[in-house]
Amino acid sequence: MSLDGLFKRTLYWTNDLLHGGKIWNIRKDIASVLSDSESGKKKQDEKLKELLDWATKNSAFYSAYAGKSLHEFPVVNKLILVENHDANSVPKEKIPWQEGDIFIQKTSGSTGVPFAVPQDTRKRQRRIGALKYFNDTVGFKSHEKLGQCRIWTKWHTKSKKQIFWENIYPVQVGNLDDSKMAELVETIKSKKLFALRAYASWYDFLLDYLKRGKCTKDDLKSLKVCLSISEGLNPATKEGMMELAGIPIVETYADEEAGTLAHQRLNGTNFYLNHADYVFECLKMDSDEPAEYGELGRIVLTDLYNYSFPMIRYDTGDTAIFHEGTKESNGWPYIEKLFGRKMDMVFDSNDQPVHPMNFGRTLKNFDTIRQWQFVQNDQYKYTIKLEVTDESQLEKVVSELKGILGEKADIGVELVNEIPLLTSGKRKPVVCEWKH
């Protein structure tokens, strides 16, 4: 820990205390709920009852469900909430704790459905409190120096004043050539960054830079933890960073619509859910019935604290395998395996789910591939679309994919000039056309 971080952290918490200690008390509340499922479940049930009562009285969209239990409410998705945005929005005048205007949290719209979620003052405070709580669990205390690695735009940036007082240093990762990586390493060294937060795939670039001898373990010695966001992390990258640099990478699970949903612990692979702020359900892939523990299902959440735009039984679009509570999870259910968006997930020839990041981690090793897209057409039929500089490695590509999918996999190769873009400007690398 640094004196600079201690000084700014002390100022922050003192200021919070002078304003009622709201963030401090939220952090304490989250810790209390998650520390014991028996007492925590009672608190969660109370907050759920309050939310459902509020929503049915103040949201036109939910007014028909007065007196219903949670499981009698409809499962909704992003498109449904977008179509019913006005009916579900609650005016700020009705929210007693609201300070100023309602905050509008915008998502990227990477699925082709942009989403603007109103969030009231208390909800925003809960997001901050949860972030600080989960960071604490991996040894990253508030206001230690953080490198925030993301694509920074003119609509989302930080002023010099914010950088100084928050100790958050923006790192642009739109381009990741060696010159950019050199700038990052120099920032880590000169600013003595304590932590990094970055897209999971970005750590592949950092590890490669380290492996090629472009930087050393000593260059990164100030880093104590790396936080991975947005994508599934390659286990080999996690292992490589620990082996070569002694730096643990912790995966986080969050979305822009709600906030921090789950978090790994140091040197662990399970995701521990934020039951203090949400009620989580794992529903079957083909119905709204509960999935069994150990069965692949859809993650559906109810946000207990957004009173300006209730999100009840919201299908996140993510899939996971839940595990029943254990001593390590303080009795709360947790995520044993987290997968990406359900539309992006495929299954091998033994009908087992395959994380889409598998393909990127394999195909990046073929220097003739410029672009690729993997498609599951049917149960055993797959297509790999490739833009290549030459055809010398095609047989090896198919062989490697069979190693992922099994020998029964029928893999066709389609050579293309370009992989089409989504409306967001991104390329969708993994597509499942098979209705599992």
Side-chain angles (χ1 to χ4, degrees), residues 69-88:
S69 65
L70 177 63
H71 297 100
E72 294 176 284
F73 279 67
V75 176
V76 299
N77 57 27
K78 183 182 293 187
L79 183 59
I80 291 172
L81 291 181
V82 168
E83 292 174 343
N84 293 276
H85 195 278
D86 291 344
N88 193 40

Side-chain angles (χ1 to χ4, degrees), residues 175-186 209 212:
N175 297 309
L176 281 174
D177 54 23
D178 279 3
S179 64
K180 286 290 183 183
M181 296 302 291
E183 289 178 20
L184 167 68
V185 172
E186 181 55 36
Y209 195 70
R212 289 188 287 120

Side-chain angles (χ1 to χ4, degrees), residues 51-161:
L51 171 74
L52 299 185
D53 184 60
W54 171 271
T56 55
K57 289 179 179 176
N58 295 281
S59 163
F61 179 67
Y62 286 115
S63 61
Y65 298 94
K68 303 287 187 182
S69 65
L70 177 63
H71 297 100
E72 294 176 284
F73 279 67
V75 176
V76 299
N77 57 27
K78 183 182 293 187
L79 183 59
I80 291 172
L81 291 181
V82 168
E83 292 174 343
N84 293 276
H85 195 278
D86 291 344
N88 193 40
S89 297
V90 178
K92 66 179 182 180
E93 294 78 15
K94 289 189 175 183
I95 304 174
W97 52 77
Q98 182 60 30
E99 300 172 7
D101 292 333
I102 296 290
F103 182 86
I104 305 299
Q105 177 69 52
K106 295 182 178 180
T107 69
S108 63
S110 59
T111 61
V113 185
F115 195 20
V117 181
Q119 295 180 346
D120 60 71
T121 299
R122 187 176 65 169
K123 169 61 186 175
R124 297 299 297 174
Q125 292 168 343
R126 294 293 303 194
R127 286 182 68 127
I128 296 170
L131 193 61
K132 293 189 181 299
Y133 166 78
F134 281 103
N135 283 344
D136 279 347
T137 65
V138 295
F140 174 36
K141 290 187 175 296
S142 175
H143 290 77
E144 292 299 323
K145 291 183 178 180
L146 170 71
Q148 181 81 315
C149 307
R150 57 166 295 166
I151 298 174
W152 293 92
T153 69
K154 64 181 180 181
W155 298 282
H156 192 287
T157 187
K158 286 190 176 292
S159 66
K160 291 183 178 180
K161 183 178 179 181

